Amino acid sequence: MSDALLTVDHLNVGFATKAGIVQAATDITFEIYPGEVLAVVGESGSGKSVTALALMRLHPDNTIVTGDVRFEGRDLLNMSDREMRATRGNDIAMIFQDPMTAMNPVFAVGDQIVETIRVHDSSVSKQEAWTKSVDLLKLVGVPEPKRRASQYPHEYSGGMRQRAMIAMAIANDPKLLIADEPTTALDVTVQAQVMEVLHEVQAETGSAMMLITHDLGLVAGSADRVQVMYASRLMETGTIDQIFYESQNPYTMALLDSIPDLDGLKEQLEPIPGNPPSLLNPPSGCAFRPRCAFAADVCAAEVPARVRVGDQHESRCVRTHELETLVGVTS
């Protein structure tokens, strides 16, 4: 495997509040390699978006960030603001959850793409940048791109705004594209179209992609590797087959059991009992323990470490190597 494009080592992200520190991302360690799609999945509030925003240094002033984040060997967390602005949007780009609030409502979509291009390369004329913005809108499947480039975000449908955000994100041919919930609030048909656009863009530019979503079904045919997050921590990491068919973590198993089965093999859905814990006052030991069907006394003693269970496959559970037997007993 080639050298990692992005290396994240023991990243911690906390928010200082009047009630104390809310630890939103804890001991996050992973790599992204050139050209691959890494999916990050988990329930809302698990720390997926917080991790991505920390990589981009887009967190608020009350944020406490520690750890080591390197992009092509460059230390992102200790870059000057000027260096980070040059990297952000050029080498690393992000597609935000809500394109309506991420785009400026008083500027035409084409003008916003032009600004994205020229802020990183002032030698490009406005006309050249405008022509490229139209080409980008065409690339991502916006109909009548020349006319649409002159329209404002509110004149676009939800799916078209998402496409425009993708066009803006890839304007400078980034090496890493972070897609944060790119299909949120879109119907199933448009979701499929947006994912198809993302893969076409990736094939066109050769970029790597970090796909953040709470929908495991969405990543089944989209990712090379998957990371499952819960209560600020990575719970399991592996290939698509390892996560979907060889899972070695109770939380991942519970997530998979809660997905509707279109083949009709499941008689009913199996929701995960309880609620995610407070990140201000998390439970002792494993954060998933209060909701876990396999919890034991040992699970309350200490936070479990990540255990390697195979090539590219790791799980955070003290009972990882017992699960196959335990599942057979409880089924």
Side-chain angles (χ1 to χ4, degrees):
M1 186 173 284
S2 59
D3 292 337
L5 184 67
L6 177 78
T7 303
V8 180
D9 193 18
H10 300 294
L11 175 69
N12 297 281
V13 183
F15 298 106
T17 70
K18 291 181 179 179
I21 302 296
V22 176
Q23 197 63 37
T26 307
D27 193 27
I28 305 297
T29 297
F30 66 91
E31 303 84 27
I32 298 179
Y33 293 89
E36 82 162 339
V37 178
L38 173 68
V40 184
V41 301
E43 293 172 273
S44 296
S46 61
K48 307 183 300 296
S49 296
V50 165
T51 299
L53 291 172
L55 303 182
M56 297 287 284
R57 297 247 307 260
L58 293 174
H59 36 66
D61 293 338
N62 69 327
T63 310
I64 303 167
V65 181
T66 62
D68 187 63
V69 179
R70 296 186 181 271
F71 179 79
E72 294 187 320
R74 292 175 284 161
D75 187 348
L76 293 182
L77 297 185
N78 291 308
M79 275 186 178
S80 67
D81 289 342
R82 183 176 181 178
E83 290 174 320
M84 193 63 208
R85 282 194 298 270
T87 300
R88 190 189 299 129
N90 193 36
D91 293 324
I92 308 174
M94 189 166 182
I95 303 168
F96 295 93
Q97 282 192 34
D98 186 356
M100 192 62 191
T101 57
M103 301 178 76
N104 194 320
V106 301
F107 290 99
V109 171
D111 288 332
Q112 295 185 57
I113 300 176
V114 166
E115 181 183 17
T116 301
I117 296 169
R118 299 192 74 237
V119 76
H120 289 288
D121 188 356
S122 57
S123 67
V124 179
S125 69
K126 288 184 178 180
Q127 184 57 49
E128 290 172 331
W130 180 264
T131 300
K132 184 174 181 179
S133 71
V134 173
D135 290 341
L136 286 166
L137 290 174
K138 182 179 180 180
L139 175 65
V140 298
V142 172
E144 301 182 80
K146 190 171 183 179
R147 180 175 70 87
R148 291 291 190 177
S150 300
Q151 292 184 329
Y152 294 86
H154 73 271
E155 297 179 274
Y156 280 45
S157 66
M160 283 176 56
R161 279 195 296 268
Q162 198 63 273
R163 292 168 188 262
M165 275 296 300
I166 295 171
M168 193 179 302
I170 65 171
N172 295 299
D173 297 324
K175 297 176 183 177
L176 174 61
L177 187 62
I178 300 175
D180 187 6
E181 302 275 11
T183 59
T184 296
L186 301 178
D187 63 56
V188 176
T189 302
V190 179
Q191 281 186 15
Q193 293 172 352
V194 168
M195 290 307 300
E196 184 179 356
V197 167
L198 283 172
H199 287 299
E200 288 175 356
V201 164
Q202 192 184 22
E204 182 82 16
T205 63
S207 62
M209 182 164 63
M210 180 178 177
L211 174 63
I212 299 170
T213 179
H214 61 270
D215 185 352
L216 266 172
L218 183 69
V219 307
S222 304
D224 299 302
R225 290 188 297 127
V226 182
Q227 293 187 158
V228 182
M229 289 191 71
Y230 179 76
S232 86
R233 295 181 185 273
L234 291 177
M235 299 299 283
E236 188 170 17
T237 303
T239 64
I240 286 287
D241 287 345
Q242 288 168 341
I243 296 298
F244 278 78
Y245 304 111
E246 303 169 17
S247 175
Q248 295 293 310
N249 188 275
Y251 177 61
T252 307
M253 292 176 177
L255 274 184
L256 291 169
D257 285 342
S258 67
I259 297 175
D261 180 10
L262 298 181
D263 294 329
L265 299 179
K266 291 182 183 178
E267 293 185 2
Q268 61 183 18
L269 294 180
E270 299 179 30
I272 304 174
N275 296 300
S278 165
L279 297 181
L280 184 62
N281 297 298
S284 62
C286 177
F288 187 58
R289 173 177 55 83
R291 309 172 71 189
C292 181
F294 309 110
D297 291 343
V298 66
C299 302
E302 60 183 25
V303 175
R306 291 169 69 181
V307 178
R308 181 168 291 278
V309 292
D311 184 36
Q312 301 187 69
H313 194 185
E314 292 184 341
S315 172
R316 187 186 297 277
C317 178
V318 296
R319 309 192 76 183
T320 292
H321 298 298
E322 303 175 63
L323 285 179
E324 187 173 346
T325 301
L326 291 170
V327 170
V329 170
T330 59
S331 60

